[in-house]
């Protein structure tokens, strides 16, 4: 009866947004490709359609759990082909806002490509913040071949292991990456990523006994990858300082 009395626009809106555990107007606009989500949310609230405000999050809403389950079932019946795309759109929007847990929730329910892409974005955010626990938890559950084939995943994973002083695990996964000889989509075009991680492991594990091989120094010095360029130069500088080479 509730759905029957809705306009087509509201009908589509409530069905599609039922996939979202919590939502605001910006998220709804991104997921549905609309610009009037705030107005539609106001209409829904005015009709008392089982919409509840989220405590402590002004402007965020959720549906009553029973109503949400009903709407999700109707969406599976009426438009099952839209579900994956809606989850992927939600993941992409949330990760841009730094809502990593929500982004991964939807990424897992979207396509495999969407999930890997979302996971890579989240790991970069966590690594920047020094939040290594989620990186190790999420990426440690993936098959080794997936990690070895995607630099957006294995670089933050091995880095998080090193920064957490889990050197034996970092060594193991570095060996896995270096043993993967078949080029795969997502791998860097050169060998700078494994070399960078190898040198970083040696630096953190051995500290004042750190020694840099000449070929490693050349690769790090010529590295152009934006994520590792600055850190590479810092490691080179530390190497020269230990050798009292200030020229």
């Amino acid at each position: 009866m509730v759905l029957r009395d809705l306009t087509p626009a509201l009908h589509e809106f409530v069905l599609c947004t039922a996939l979202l555990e919590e939502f605001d107007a910006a998220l709804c606009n991104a997921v549905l490709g609309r610009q009037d989500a705030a107005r539609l949310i106001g209409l829904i609230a005015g009709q008392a359609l089982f919409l509840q405000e989220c405590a402590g999050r002004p402007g965020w809403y959720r549906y009553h759990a029973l109503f949400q389950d009903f709407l999700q079932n109707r969406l599976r019946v009426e438009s099952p082909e839209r579900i994956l795309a809606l989850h992927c759109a939600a993941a992409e929007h949330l990760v841009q806002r730094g809502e990593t847990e929500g982004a991964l929730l939807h990424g897992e329910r979207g396509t495999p490509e969407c999930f890997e892409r979302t996971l890579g974005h989240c790991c970069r955010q966590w690594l920047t913040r020094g939040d290594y626990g989620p990186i190790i938890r999420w990426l440690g559950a993936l098959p080794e071949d997936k990690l070895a084939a995607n630099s957006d995943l294995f670089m933050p994973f091995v880095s998080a292991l090193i920064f957490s002083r889990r050197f034996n695990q970092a060594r193991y996964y570095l060996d896995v990456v270096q043993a993967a000889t078949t080029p795969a989509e997502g791998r860097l075009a050169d060998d700078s990523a494994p070399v960078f991680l190898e040198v970083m492991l040696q630096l953190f594990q051995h500290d004042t006994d750190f020694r840099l091989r000449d070929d490693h120094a050349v690769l790090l010095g010529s590295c152009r990858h934006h994520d590792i360029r600055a850190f590479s130069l810092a490691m080179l500088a530390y190497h020269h300082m230990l050798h009292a080479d200030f020229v």
Side-chain angles (χ1 to χ4, degrees):
M1 291 178 61
V2 169
L3 291 181
R4 185 182 61 195
D5 294 335
L6 295 180
T7 65
L10 279 178
H11 181 98
E12 178 195 32
F13 184 86
V14 296
L15 286 186
C16 294
T17 55
L19 293 177
L20 309 172
E21 296 300 322
E22 297 179 350
F23 55 87
D24 66 351
L27 176 56
C28 294
N29 281 332
V31 169
L32 293 170
R34 306 183 66 98
Q35 299 295 327
D36 59 348
R39 179 181 66 84
L40 296 178
I41 291 173
L43 292 175
I44 294 170
Q47 297 184 36
L49 290 182
F50 308 101
L51 190 67
Q52 303 171 342
E53 294 184 1
C54 297
R57 302 191 75 185
W60 284 79
Y61 302 87
R62 61 183 178 87
Y63 293 114
H64 186 281
L66 293 177
F67 187 52
Q68 183 182 25
D69 287 341
F70 166 75
L71 292 174
Q72 289 178 354
N73 288 331
R74 287 298 296 266
L75 181 61
R76 294 186 190 102
V77 172
E78 295 186 17
S79 302
E81 73 284 353
R82 299 188 63 183
I83 293 177
L84 289 179
L86 291 170
H87 279 304
C88 291
E92 181 178 347
H93 177 77
L94 288 171
V95 79
Q96 291 175 357
R97 295 172 65 167
E99 300 269 353
T100 53
E101 292 299 328
L104 286 170
L105 174 69
H106 289 287
E108 278 191 303
R109 297 173 181 176
T111 63
E113 295 79 12
C114 170
F115 177 56
E116 281 197 26
R117 185 169 59 251
T118 302
L119 194 51
H121 288 309
C122 289
C123 285
R124 283 196 292 275
Q125 292 185 25
W126 287 326
L127 194 62
T128 301
R129 297 199 299 256
D131 194 1
Y132 309 126
I135 299 176
I136 296 172
R137 185 176 71 252
W138 280 94
L139 297 185
L142 294 180
E144 293 176 0
D145 59 336
K146 282 191 175 293
L147 285 174
N150 191 332
S151 63
D152 288 337
L153 299 182
F154 79 72
M155 285 193 65
F157 182 55
V158 176
S159 297
L161 290 173
I162 294 172
F163 292 144
S164 301
R165 304 192 68 79
R166 297 165 71 164
F167 300 134
N168 290 337
Q169 283 181 278
R171 174 76 270 160
Y172 171 80
Y173 281 101
L174 255 179
D175 291 341
V176 169
V177 168
Q178 292 170 348
T181 56
T182 302
E185 185 178 358
R187 296 290 299 273
L188 293 181
D190 58 350
D191 294 328
S192 59
V195 169
F196 168 76
L197 293 172
E198 178 74 40
V199 172
M200 187 166 67
L201 175 59
Q202 297 301 318
L203 171 63
F204 278 80
Q205 192 169 14
H206 300 294
D207 194 11
T208 55
D209 294 328
F210 172 64
R211 294 294 183 270
L212 192 60
R213 287 168 31 188
D214 290 340
D215 57 335
H216 286 177
V218 171
L219 272 174
L220 290 180
S222 62
C223 176
R224 297 183 300 274
H225 194 273
H226 64 278
D227 286 338
I228 63 179
R229 172 69 175 170
F231 205 160
S232 296
L233 293 177
M235 289 192 293
L236 281 171
Y238 185 66
H239 164 76
H240 290 304
M241 183 188 73
L242 288 177
H243 287 76
D245 180 8
F246 301 109
V247 179

